[in-house]
Amino acid sequence: WYPTVQTYSFRRTIAFWGAVMCCEGCLLFLWIDLLTMYAIGTPEMLYELTKVPNFVGGLFFMAGIYLSWFELINMDTEKLNANKLHYFWVSIESVTDLGIDKASYVGALTYLLGAVLYTISQVSDFWELTPGVHSVLIDWPLIVGGLMFFLGGVCELKINKVFESA
């Protein structure tokens, strides 16, 4: 079952760029808090200094999470060596047949869906919306996306056997 050089390089590269993208996104999210804490910029600049980095950080973060999903759904070495990549979906059975826990699949998918919901909220935040539309396009995607991130974290706890006694 040993991976070929191509397979090893693919997985290592995807994992590296996924981590880099998530770190870049987090740094941009941190920028907003630092701006607010130290009152940098004028009120007129607040829009450009907060909403744009928030959106770009969200895109970086979503790209990093997508790369971890992409890596997971392409764990089949034979298909990978044949350049038969999956880009969006693969059945859970094809992942579990490789010996990967269902919690990995579910956790990665919930992280991805949470990131998509956060991005919907970040894009919608560029416009002034009525309270009802604001609730649907900004508030609820943040609430449900946060719940998805929480569920993804619970899946990681299960994968790492935190709930099992020694």
Side-chain angles (χ1 to χ4, degrees), residues 24-26 28-29 52-62 122:
E24 290 289 335
C26 289
L28 284 167
F29 293 149
V52 174
N54 187 40
F55 171 66
V56 174
L59 288 179
F60 272 112
F61 198 72
M62 186 173 68
Q122 291 164 333

Side-chain angles (χ1 to χ4, degrees), residues 119-129 137-138:
T119 303
I120 290 170
S121 173
Q122 291 164 333
V123 169
S124 301
D125 198 29
F126 278 109
W127 293 279
E128 292 294 324
L129 304 171
L137 290 178
I138 296 176

Side-chain angles (χ1 to χ4, degrees), residues 18-92:
V20 167
M21 293 288 195
C22 285
C23 285
E24 290 289 335
C26 289
L27 287 173
L28 284 167
F29 293 149
L30 181 64
W31 165 259
I32 298 163
D33 291 331
L34 290 173
L35 263 173
T36 307
M37 188 168 66
Y38 292 112
I40 299 171
T42 63
E44 296 82 24
M45 296 170 57
L46 193 60
Y47 180 88
E48 288 82 8
L49 291 175
T50 58
K51 292 191 187 230
V52 174
N54 187 40
F55 171 66
V56 174
L59 288 179
F60 272 112
F61 198 72
M62 186 173 68
I65 290 174
Y66 170 75
L67 286 175
S68 68
W69 170 253
F70 181 74
E71 181 182 16
L72 178 73
I73 64 175
N74 287 293
M75 290 298 272
D76 190 348
T77 305
E78 291 177 19
K79 289 183 180 176
L80 184 60
N81 290 336
N83 289 323
K84 295 179 183 176
L85 298 176
H86 300 284
Y87 292 97
F88 298 107
W89 187 256
V90 69
S91 69
I92 194 167

